[in-house]
Amino acid sequence: MVGDGAVPGRTADLERPLHGRLPRRRGRMHRRRPGTGRVRPTGAGGRDPGGHRSRRAGVPGNRPVGIPAVARRSAGSPRGPRSRDALLGRQPGLRWIPAVVARIRVRPARRCTCPLPTGLPAMTLAHPGQPPAPHDLWTVWEPDPMLGAGILLAAWVYRSGRSRSRPPADDRRGRCFAGALAVLGIALLSPLETMSSALASAHMVQHLLLVLVAAPLLAFSAPWAAVLRGTPLVVRRSAARWRRRLRLTRGNTRFLRLPGTVWLLHVGTLWFWHAAVPYGAALEHEIVHVLEHASFLITAVLFWTAIIGIRRTGGMSPGVGVLLVFATAMQSVFLSALLTFAQTPWYDGYARTTQPWHLEPLGDQQLAGVIMWIPGGLVYVATGLMLLVTWIQRSEQADLASGPRRRARSSPDASGRFSGGG
Amino acid sequence: MSSEPEAPHPRRPTPSGAEPATTDELDRLWADPRGLRGQLTGVQNDKIGTRLLLTGFFFALLGGSFDSLAMRLQLAVPQNTLIGPELYNQLFTNHGSVTMFLVILPIFEGFAILLLPPLLGTREMPFPRLGALAYWTFLLGGLLYYSSTLFQLVPDAGWFAYTPLSGPEFSPGLAIDFWVLGLGVAEVGAIAAAVEIIIGVLKMRAPGMTLSRMPLFAWAVLVMAFMILFAFTTLIVGSLLLELDRGFGTQFFDPQHGGSSLLWQHLFWIFGHPEVYIQFIPAVGVMAMIVPVFVRHRPVGYTWFVASLVAVGFLSFALWAHHMFTVGLPPLVLSFFAAASMAISIPAGVQVFSWLATIWAGRPVWKTPFLFFVGFLIIFVIGGITGVMVASVPFDLQAHDSYFVVGHLHYVLIGGVVFPIFAGVYYWFPKFTGRMLDERLGKWNFWLLFVGVNVAFFPMHQVGLMGMPRRVYTYDEGLGWGIHNLISTIGVLIIAPGIAVFVWNVWRSYRRGEKAGNNPWGADSLEWALPSPPAQHGWSVLPIIRTRHPLWDQDDLHRGDGPVERFVHGISQWPLKWRAAVIVGTADARPREVFRVAGPSIWPLVTALGIVLIFLSELVKLRWGAMVGALIIVGGVIAWNWPKPPPMSEEDEDAFEREYGVPVNAHGSVVVARWGTGLVILFVGTAFAALLLSYFYLRLENPQWPPPGVGDPPMAFALLSAALLAASAGAVLFAERRIGQGDRRGLLGGLVAALILGVTGTSVQWFDLTRLGLAWRAHAYGSIFYTLAGFVIVVAAAAIIMLTMTIFWTTRGAYSARRHAPLANVERFWRAMVIVWIIGFGTLYLGPYLT
C-alpha cells in the first residue's frame, strides 16, 4: 500500500464513493455543505482592526472574485451559513471529502488532467478576512474543498494511471508524488495557510514548502504520464487534440527544458513577487495570490524538472545541475539577505497583523528572510550534493568498454553542440 | 570506501610513462623559446606554475614574515616604542592583505597549474596564454600594491578596509587606492587562473580518468577555482564601488547621501568568507594526496570526501553574515546563523575522520610531508574548535575583535593552509627538480614551526579572553597582558628560524640534493610515472586510466581497450607539427576531441600591461590613460586570438577521425572555447548579480526611492532600446543558423543587421541616460543608477566588439559550414548580454515602481 503511490488511507476514502453510492452521498453533501466552511476565529472581519484589508471583510459575494467557473459551480455556495458556523466555533468535519470527490467524479474531469490546474482555483480561498492569533492556531484549518478535492483527485487519477502502466513504474516516484501532494496539502490547507495572512515568516515557510519541497518532489516523481493515463479516454483525447491544436510538440516546448531559461524564469518569478508592490497585491487580492502561488509552483517544477527530472538523463549533465543549484542558492541567499538586513518592513499588509504573535513587522520579516536563508539554503546544499554524488557514482559505472565514442562527424556542428559531459 | 580493500604493494616497481622515439621531437614542439623572448612569451604550465609559486613565496617572506616579526617585537612588552601607531596600522593591514591576496592564493594556483597536467595525464592546460596572463596580472598587481611603500602611502585600514574608515572622508590620501587598485589587478589574475583550472580539470584528463577516478587534489582545486570565480568577482565589484566613491565622488558607502557602509561589509564578506575556504580547500587537496601515500592505504570514503569539499564550498557562500554578528541583528536571526555556521564543521569533520580512518587502516611512514600532515591536523582541529566557539553568538559578542579571533584565525590559516603548503613542497619538490629535499633539515623545519606556532598563537586566545583587542599597537602595563604577549613574541622568534631552515633546505637541495627517481615516495598518482623533472610536454604517450590509483593498481599505463589504446599511440606519433591535446568527456573521460593548444605569445603580457595601465591611471588620476589601457586590452585580446591558418586540411582531419574515431579540430577547440565562453558569461553574471544586490540594498536603505526631487525614470526610450537589443539577439541567432547550412550571405546579413540593431539600441539607451541627467554625486540613487547602467553598456560594448570582429572575419571568409565554432560562442555571449541588458535596465527603470 505504501509503495503504490497514493496517500495510504486516503485512497480508501477516495474509492468508496465511486462505486455506486453516489446519490446518497450527494444528498448528504447538500445537507452538510455549510459545515465545510472555514472557521473564522475572529468573526466575519467586520472587526478588522486595521481596516486596510476590509476588502475581504464582507465575505458574502466577495469570494467568487478569483474563482473560475468550475470552482464556483462545485464549491460556491451562499456564504452566510459559513460565517455563522464560524461564529459558533464549529469544527469543520472531514466528511466533505468523499462527497466532493463524488461530485467531481460525476462531471468527468475535463479540466482536471493533472493536479495543478485542479488545485489552483481552490487556492483562491487563501487568506480570509482576519489575521489569526496564536491561541487559535490549531483551529484555523483551511478545509478548502476545491483544493482538497483536487489533491485527492490527483492522487486517485495517478494511482489508477500507475496501475495501468507497463512496466510498473518505480515505487520511489510514487512515494515522491504522494509526498508532494501531502506537502501541497500542508502548505495550502493547514493552519499555515491562515497564519500566512498574518505573518510574513509563515508565508515564507509556505512558499518554501511549495518551491523547495513540493516542486522538487513533483519534478522527481514526473507524474504527468501516469496522471494522463489515469484519466478517462475522453480527457486524453481532448488533451491530445489541444496539444495538436496549440502545436505543443517536444521541439516547440524545448525552451522550457533549457536549464538557463527555466532558471531565469524561476528566479525572475521569485524576485518579482518579493517586490513590495506585487507582494502587497497578492495579500490584497485573492486572484493575485493564486497567481503568485501558481507561478511559484509552476516555475519551480520546471526548474527542478530540468535538474532532477526523469528526462534529464539524455540532456543536461548533473554537473551543470550542481552549478545551477548553487546559482539558485545564491540568489535565494541574496534575496534573504535583503529581507534580513532591511531597516524597514517592506510589506504594508503585515503592518498590524504580527503583534498577536509577539513580533514586530520588521522582526517578522527578518525571520522570514533568515528562514529562506538557512533552512531554505540547506535544501539547495543537500540537492547539490545529491546530484554530485550521483554524478560521481554514475561516472564510475561508465567504463571504457565502448572505447572512444563513434560519432558521425563531430563538426563544430551547426549549434557547436557536442553532447558535452555525460 | 575504495572498492579494492587490500593494501597496495609499495615495493612493486611502479609503471612509468612510455618514451617512444618521438619524445625529443615532442619536447621541442612544446618547449618555450629560449632567452628573454621565451621569458616574456612563455606559456608552459611548468613555467607559469613555478613562477606563481616562487612569487607567492617571495611575497610571503616580504609581507608574511617581516611584518609579523616587526609587530610581535613591538607587542613583546607593554608601552613599547619600537613602532608608532601609524606604522603599526600599516603593518597589520599589509600583513593581512598580502597573505590573503598575494601569498596563499598564487601559491595554490601555482600548485594547480604546475601539477594538473602531469597529475591528470595530459600535456597542457587548456588556455596556456590565459595562464600567462594570470601570472603577469598577479605579479604586476602585487608590485603595484607594494609600490605604495616607495611613496610612503601604505594602506592602513585593515585587510577588510571597512568603510567609512576607508572612504574618501577618513582616508583622503592615495594609500587605500593602492590597496584597492593593486589588489584589484591581482584579483583579475586570480580569476583568469580559475577559469583555466576549471576547464583543465573538467575537460583535459587522461582517457579513462572518470570523475570517480580523479585525484582528490584535482577535485579540491576545481572547487577552489569555482569559488574564486564567484567570490573574487564580488570583491572586484565591491572594490569598484569603493574606488568610485574615492575617486569619482559617488555615494555608495556614505549614509548621509543615501549610501550604506554596511553594503561594503556585505560585498566584502561575500568574498571574504569563501576566501578562507578558497585557501583551505586546496590545502585539503594537497593533504588528501599525501596521506594515502605515507600511510600506504587508499583514502577511506573518497566520494564523501569529494562531497564534503563541495559542501564546504556551498556553505561558505551562504554564511558571510556570521562575520557580522555584531552589526545589530535580532537574536532570533543570529541563532539561525550560529546554527548554520556550526554546520560547516560537518564537512570538515568528514574530512578529518576520513584521514583518521585512512591512517588507522594503514601504516604511517614518518617522513617530513607526513609530519607536516600531523601538525596540520592537530593545529587545524584546534583552530576549528575555536571556530565553533566563535560561531556561538554570545561568545562572539565577547570575543569579537579581540586577540581570541587573532589566535583562532592563525590556527586555522597556519594549521590549515601553511602546513599543507610546506607538506606539498616537500612532497612534490623531487618531482619538479629531480632532487629530494633534505630529510633532517625538514624535521628541524617542522619542529621549529610546530612548536613556534603553538607558542606564538596559543596565548593569544587567553589574552583575548582577558580583553585585549586586536589591532592595538601597544597596551598598558597594569592589564596583565604582558606575559602572554612576551610568550607570543618568543613563539614568532621560534618560527623565524624554522622558515630560514626551509629556505636553506630548498636552496641547498636544489643545488646538490639527493637525486630522486621517478617515484621516490612510492606514490599512487600519475605524475610520479614521469621522469623527474618531467619533459616539457609531460606525457609522450597519454596514459589510460583504469583505477583510482593507477601506479598502485596498473601494470601498464598505456594499455586499454583496443580503440583507446590505438588512439593514444596514434596521438603520440602524430601530429608532430602542432601542439595537440585531447579533450575528454567530463564524466566518462572518453576522448572527445583533439585540438591545438595555443603556443607562446607576447599578447598576454601586453594585455596585462593594459589592465595595469587602467588601474594605474586611476591611481594617478590621469583618466585618459584608462582609455589607452582599454584600447591596449582590446587590441591585445584581438591579436591574442588572431586565428592562425589551420595546420591541417579538412581531408586530413577526416582521415584521422576515420582511423581513430576522435574528431580533430586543428584550428582550435570547439569544446574548450564553448566552456571558456560559458565561464566568461558566468563571470559577467556574477558581477552583475553583485551590482543588482547593491542596487536593492541601497534601495532598502532609502525609504524614498528615488530620492526627493528626482522623478521616476520615464520608460519610452529604455523600452525601445531593449526591443532593439532583443531583435539583435534574434538576428545573431539567425546568422548562426544560416552558416550551419553553409549560407555565407545569410550569415553576413544577419550579423550586420545585429550589429546595426545593437549599436542603435545602445545609442538610444545612451541618449536616454544623458537625457535623464541624474546627479550621481548627490545621492546613492544616481550613483548606482549610472554604475549599473555603465556596467551593462560595457558588457554590450564588449559584445559589439566581438561581433565586429566576427563580421570582419566573415568578410575574410573564415567561417564555413564546418568551421564556425566561434560564431556559436559569439551568439551565446550576445544572448547573455541581451539578458543582462533587459534585467539590468528593467531593474533600473521598473525598480522605483515595484519596490
Side-chain angles (χ1 to χ4, degrees):
Chain A
M1 192 64 178
V2 176
D4 58 11
V7 187
R10 284 200 192 164
T11 36
D13 282 349
L14 258 175
E15 284 172 351
R16 227 180 299 132
L18 303 178
H19 301 300
R21 294 200 291 173
L22 288 180
R24 198 174 68 82
R25 295 265 165 174
R26 285 180 74 184
R28 248 177 82 181
M29 182 177 124
H30 277 296
R31 279 203 309 281
R32 288 281 172 185
R33 200 191 282 144
T36 64
R38 202 184 349 258
V39 174
R40 247 162 246 287
T42 45
R47 278 174 275 144
D48 185 2
H52 60 278
R53 50 178 67 215
S54 54
R55 185 200 55 74
R56 264 186 246 136
V59 175
N62 152 35
R63 169 179 250 202
V65 169
I67 307 182
V70 134
R72 228 177 286 146
R73 272 204 304 279
S74 68
S77 62
R79 298 297 302 277
R82 289 190 181 198
S83 354
R84 200 164 54 237
D85 259 31
L87 282 172
L88 294 174
R90 246 181 243 166
Q91 295 292 320
L94 287 177
R95 269 161 294 189
W96 53 272
I97 296 176
V100 171
V101 172
R103 173 137 182 152
I104 289 170
R105 174 67 190 164
V106 172
R107 214 180 314 102
R110 231 168 274 135
R111 315 174 55 135
C112 303
T113 49
C114 75
L116 243 51
T118 12
L120 293 178
M123 276 189 252
T124 47
L125 310 180
H127 299 329
Q130 268 275 324
H135 58 83
D136 47 27
L137 175 60
W138 293 108
T139 60
V140 288
W141 291 78
E142 293 276 333
D144 187 323
M146 269 314 293
L147 185 59
I151 289 175
L152 293 176
L153 179 71
W156 177 74
V157 168
Y158 179 75
R159 191 172 128 76
S160 65
R162 263 169 59 88
S163 64
R164 277 181 226 169
S165 74
R166 277 177 307 273
D170 189 355
D171 268 1
R172 269 186 321 169
R173 290 170 58 186
R175 276 197 287 269
C176 282
F177 187 62
L181 291 185
V183 171
L184 278 180
I186 291 170
L188 300 170
L189 296 176
S190 76
L192 188 61
E193 163 71 9
T194 329
M195 273 171 72
S196 70
S197 64
L199 293 177
S201 43
H203 208 167
M204 179 60 79
V205 173
Q206 190 186 23
H207 290 168
L208 292 183
L209 283 179
L210 291 179
V211 167
L212 288 182
V213 187
L217 286 175
L218 276 177
F220 184 74
S221 58
W224 323 122
V227 165
L228 198 62
R229 224 179 283 119
T231 53
L233 195 60
V234 187
V235 181
R236 264 177 287 165
R237 280 208 181 123
S238 80
R241 205 162 44 238
W242 274 107
R243 209 179 143 151
R244 265 200 307 281
R245 204 169 292 168
L246 297 173
R247 305 227 172 98
L248 297 176
T249 57
R250 262 189 91 70
N252 272 346
T253 55
R254 187 172 151 266
F255 74 99
L256 286 179
R257 293 188 298 277
L258 291 178
T261 317
V262 290
W263 186 81
L264 280 172
L265 263 180
H266 181 48
V267 172
T269 313
L270 287 177
W271 282 72
F272 172 77
W273 284 114
H274 281 89
V277 175
Y279 198 101
L283 283 180
E284 200 70 7
H285 307 285
E286 297 294 351
I287 178 78
V288 183
H289 195 227
V290 173
L291 208 64
E292 182 191 25
H293 283 178
S295 57
F296 276 158
L297 191 62
I298 291 171
T299 57
V301 168
L302 283 174
F303 168 72
W304 288 112
T305 305
I307 288 179
I308 56 172
I310 291 301
R311 297 209 174 156
R312 182 193 45 71
T313 27
M316 197 180 74
S317 146
V320 180
V322 175
L323 204 58
L324 271 182
V325 168
F326 175 76
T328 322
M330 277 322 284
Q331 63 81 26
S332 158
V333 165
F334 277 14
L335 185 51
S336 38
L338 291 173
L339 276 164
T340 312
F341 283 89
Q343 305 288 318
T344 47
W346 297 0
Y347 307 126
D348 295 335
Y350 292 125
R352 283 180 208 75
T353 55
T354 59
Q355 284 80 4
W357 300 84
H358 307 291
L359 277 169
E360 286 304 304
L362 185 62
D364 178 40
Q365 177 178 315
Q366 286 169 332
L367 184 60
V370 88
I371 286 174
M372 184 183 193
W373 194 326
I374 307 294
L378 287 180
V379 175
Y380 291 116
V381 176
T383 323
L385 293 184
M386 198 187 75
L387 281 169
L388 180 84
V389 170
T390 329
W391 196 30
I392 296 174
Q393 285 173 347
R394 200 184 300 159
S395 87
E396 190 150 2
Q397 292 148 14
D399 204 35
L400 279 175
S402 49
R405 182 180 293 183
R406 290 267 166 193
R407 63 172 71 246
R409 163 77 214 173
S410 63
S411 53
D413 48 46
S415 55
R417 196 168 284 114
F418 277 77
S419 57
Chain B
M1 185 83 67
S2 69
S3 48
E4 308 93 331
E6 83 280 11
H9 305 285
R11 253 173 276 147
R12 200 188 64 185
T14 48
S16 56
E19 298 296 332
T22 53
T23 300
D24 292 341
E25 208 171 334
L26 279 169
D27 206 37
R28 269 198 300 283
L29 184 66
W30 288 80
D32 283 330
R34 290 179 182 286
L36 180 66
R37 187 165 144 259
Q39 292 302 319
L40 296 180
T41 63
V43 293
Q44 259 294 315
N45 75 296
D46 302 12
K47 182 178 277 168
I48 303 294
T50 318
R51 280 177 179 174
L52 278 168
L53 274 169
L54 289 178
T55 318
F57 275 111
F58 168 71
F59 281 126
L61 291 181
L62 214 59
S65 306
F66 171 74
D67 293 353
S68 48
L69 206 59
M71 282 190 288
R72 273 328 311 175
L73 288 177
Q74 159 68 15
L75 289 176
V77 289
Q79 304 286 14
N80 198 353
T81 53
L82 182 66
I83 292 173
E86 280 105 35
L87 181 56
Y88 191 86
N89 284 355
Q90 294 169 354
L91 283 177
F92 74 68
T93 302
N94 193 53
H95 178 70
S97 308
V98 168
T99 43
M100 295 304 260
F101 293 98
L102 299 179
V103 174
I104 299 171
L105 203 68
I107 286 181
F108 279 127
E109 286 185 338
F111 264 125
I113 290 178
L114 179 64
L115 265 171
L116 283 179
L119 178 66
L120 297 177
T122 165
R123 287 175 180 170
E124 243 306 346
M125 297 296 282
F127 295 115
R129 292 179 182 180
L130 196 64
L133 175 77
Y135 176 69
W136 292 121
T137 45
F138 160 66
L139 175 71
L140 295 172
L143 291 179
L144 181 62
Y145 169 80
Y146 250 107
S147 65
S148 60
T149 45
L150 300 180
F151 306 104
Q152 294 290 310
L153 288 167
V154 188
D156 54 0
W159 82 276
F160 34 64
Y162 273 173
T163 54
L165 176 59
S166 62
E169 196 179 340
F170 298 100
S171 298
L174 284 179
I176 303 292
D177 297 297
F178 274 103
W179 186 90
V180 172
L181 299 166
L183 298 181
V185 180
E187 287 150 19
V188 172
I191 293 174
V195 168
E196 161 114 318
I197 291 170
I198 290 172
I199 303 180
V201 172
L202 286 178
K203 298 312 290 182
M204 294 187 71
R205 303 195 300 265
M209 187 184 275
T210 60
L211 283 181
S212 59
R213 294 171 192 161
M214 216 158 79
L216 286 168
F217 178 74
W219 275 111
V221 294
L222 176 68
V223 175
M224 168 193 83
F226 268 112
M227 293 175 68
I228 288 177
L229 185 61
F230 293 124
F232 275 73
T233 311
T234 321
L235 180 64
I236 286 182
V237 169
S239 309
L240 172 76
L241 301 188
L242 182 57
E243 189 51 38
L244 285 176
D245 259 18
R246 296 182 54 83
F248 292 82
T250 56
Q251 305 293 351
F252 291 108
F253 304 118
D254 184 356
Q256 286 176 345
H257 297 93
S260 163
S261 50
L262 271 189
L263 174 62
W264 169 260
Q265 289 199 22
H266 281 291
L267 291 174
F268 187 85
W269 286 118
I270 290 174
F271 147 80
H273 187 59
E275 162 75 350
V276 178
Y277 295 94
I278 286 172
Q279 302 175 345
F280 172 62
I281 284 181
V284 169
V286 169
M287 282 315 181
M289 297 305 286
I290 289 176
V291 171
V293 174
F294 287 88
V295 303
R296 305 292 179 213
H297 196 273
R298 297 159 208 283
V300 174
Y302 172 90
T303 308
W304 293 108
F305 202 97
V306 174
S308 77
L309 290 175
V310 177
V312 168
F314 255 82
L315 288 175
S316 68
F317 272 95
L319 287 179
W320 79 82
H322 73 199
H323 289 269
M324 298 162 68
F325 275 166
T326 50
V327 302
L329 285 169
L332 184 61
V333 169
L334 289 182
S335 56
F336 274 88
F337 288 132
S341 307
M342 293 176 193
I344 211 153
S345 58
I346 296 173
V350 168
Q351 289 153 15
V352 168
F353 282 104
S354 158
W355 283 320
L356 291 182
T358 311
I359 297 172
W360 187 286
R363 183 178 297 175
V365 180
W366 294 88
K367 299 277 179 145
T368 311
F370 190 72
L371 275 180
F372 271 105
F373 166 74
V374 174
F376 151 81
L377 203 61
I378 294 170
I379 297 182
F380 176 70
V381 166
I382 295 175
I385 290 170
T386 53
V388 174
M389 290 165 74
V390 180
S392 112
V393 180
F395 186 86
D396 186 62
L397 290 174
Q398 289 301 314
H400 193 82
D401 257 343
S402 76
Y403 256 83
F404 189 88
V405 174
V406 179
H408 157 69
L409 75 91
H410 279 95
Y411 262 77
V412 171
L413 286 179
I414 292 188
V417 179
V418 175
F419 274 48
I421 289 177
F422 280 114
V425 171
Y426 274 91
Y427 180 61
W428 277 303
F429 190 84
K431 177 46 61 187
F432 293 99
T433 61
R435 292 172 189 276
M436 307 290 287
L437 280 173
D438 188 73
E439 193 60 32
R440 204 165 49 88
L441 285 175
K443 296 222 157 91
W444 271 102
N445 179 4
F446 168 74
W447 284 112
L448 283 171
L449 274 186
F450 184 75
V451 172
V453 165
N454 281 297
V455 171
F457 296 107
F458 199 81
M460 288 188 182
H461 296 103
Q462 177 68 23
V463 77
L465 290 178
M466 289 164 67
M468 180 168 171
R470 68 198 280 201
R471 297 176 172 172
V472 288
Y473 78 103
T474 191
Y475 49 92
D476 280 336
E477 201 150 4
L479 291 166
W481 300 342
I483 182 67
H484 301 90
N485 278 296
L486 188 61
I487 295 173
S488 282
T489 304
I490 292 172
V492 170
L493 292 178
I494 301 175
I495 296 176
I499 306 271
V501 168
F502 171 73
V503 173
W504 167 243
N505 194 357
V506 168
W507 175 252
R508 214 196 73 144
S509 304
Y510 182 70
R511 306 191 54 176
R512 47 189 157 85
E514 182 194 339
K515 287 241 189 253
N518 280 6
N519 192 358
W521 310 113
D524 62 329
S525 52
L526 273 181
E527 76 271 30
W528 300 103
L530 293 173
S532 312
Q536 291 286 332
H537 61 285
W539 293 90
S540 303
V541 184
L542 297 184
I544 300 170
I545 306 305
R546 296 192 303 271
T547 85
R548 197 175 286 161
H549 309 279
L551 266 55
W552 284 350
D553 299 335
Q554 286 182 223
D555 291 325
D556 189 322
L557 288 178
H558 305 297
R559 197 163 304 145
D561 301 296
V564 181
E565 194 175 319
R566 222 149 47 81
F567 167 74
V568 157
H569 285 102
I571 206 85
S572 74
Q573 282 144 22
W574 173 105
L576 297 174
K577 297 279 172 273
W578 45 280
R579 303 177 169 205
V582 178
I583 291 287
V584 295
T586 310
D588 58 10
R590 288 186 194 132
R592 288 285 157 81
E593 184 191 37
V594 179
F595 79 109
R596 180 166 71 176
V597 177
S601 158
I602 192 70
W603 296 109
L605 178 57
V606 173
T607 312
L609 286 172
I611 296 174
V612 174
L613 190 59
I614 290 185
F615 285 71
L616 196 64
S617 61
E618 168 57 26
L619 190 63
V620 298
K621 307 292 182 244
L622 290 173
R623 302 246 160 80
W624 53 268
M627 280 314 294
V628 180
L631 286 178
I632 292 178
I633 293 176
V634 169
V637 170
I638 289 174
W640 171 341
N641 293 306
W642 200 263
K644 277 190 180 176
M648 283 176 85
S649 68
E650 296 190 358
E651 292 72 38
D652 289 346
E653 292 183 3
D654 282 342
F656 183 88
E657 187 180 350
R658 269 197 303 280
E659 189 170 352
Y660 296 108
V662 180
V664 180
N665 289 313
H667 54 294
S669 172
V670 178
V671 180
V672 166
R674 193 181 72 223
W675 277 69
T677 314
L679 290 180
V680 167
I681 292 173
L682 208 56
F683 166 69
V684 171
T686 311
F688 183 54
L691 277 172
L692 283 180
L693 180 72
S694 311
Y695 178 88
F696 287 115
Y697 199 85
L698 291 171
R699 163 71 192 89
L700 294 183
E701 295 287 312
N702 293 280
Q704 204 174 355
W705 189 260
V710 181
D712 288 352
M715 272 187 276
F717 283 101
L719 273 175
L720 175 64
S721 69
L724 288 172
L725 263 293
S728 75
V732 176
L733 191 63
F734 167 81
E736 200 230 327
R737 291 258 163 89
R738 295 313 295 174
I739 190 63
Q741 297 158 10
D743 176 4
R744 291 194 193 184
R745 280 182 58 198
L747 167 72
L748 192 59
L751 291 181
V752 171
L755 186 66
I756 294 171
L757 286 169
V759 171
T760 320
T762 314
S763 315
V764 169
Q765 187 60 58
W766 185 269
F767 168 72
D768 193 42
L769 288 176
T770 51
R771 196 180 56 103
L772 278 173
L774 299 172
W776 46 272
R777 284 204 181 98
H779 193 273
Y781 176 76
S783 308
I784 189 70
F785 195 97
Y786 282 127
T787 307
L788 188 52
F791 174 83
V792 178
I793 285 180
V794 165
V795 175
I800 287 173
I801 292 172
M802 273 171 82
L803 192 66
T804 314
M805 285 315 293
T806 317
I807 291 175
F808 171 72
W809 284 111
T810 307
T811 56
R812 301 275 299 261
Y815 306 115
S816 64
R818 221 180 97 168
R819 285 180 174 159
H820 63 271
L823 282 175
N825 294 322
V826 170
E827 193 271 320
R828 282 187 194 104
F829 189 77
W830 191 272
R831 200 184 340 158
M833 180 273 284
V834 171
I835 291 171
V836 164
W837 183 286
I838 290 172
I839 296 177
F841 283 111
T843 305
L844 286 179
Y845 281 81
L846 293 177
Y849 296 98
L850 286 181
T851 55

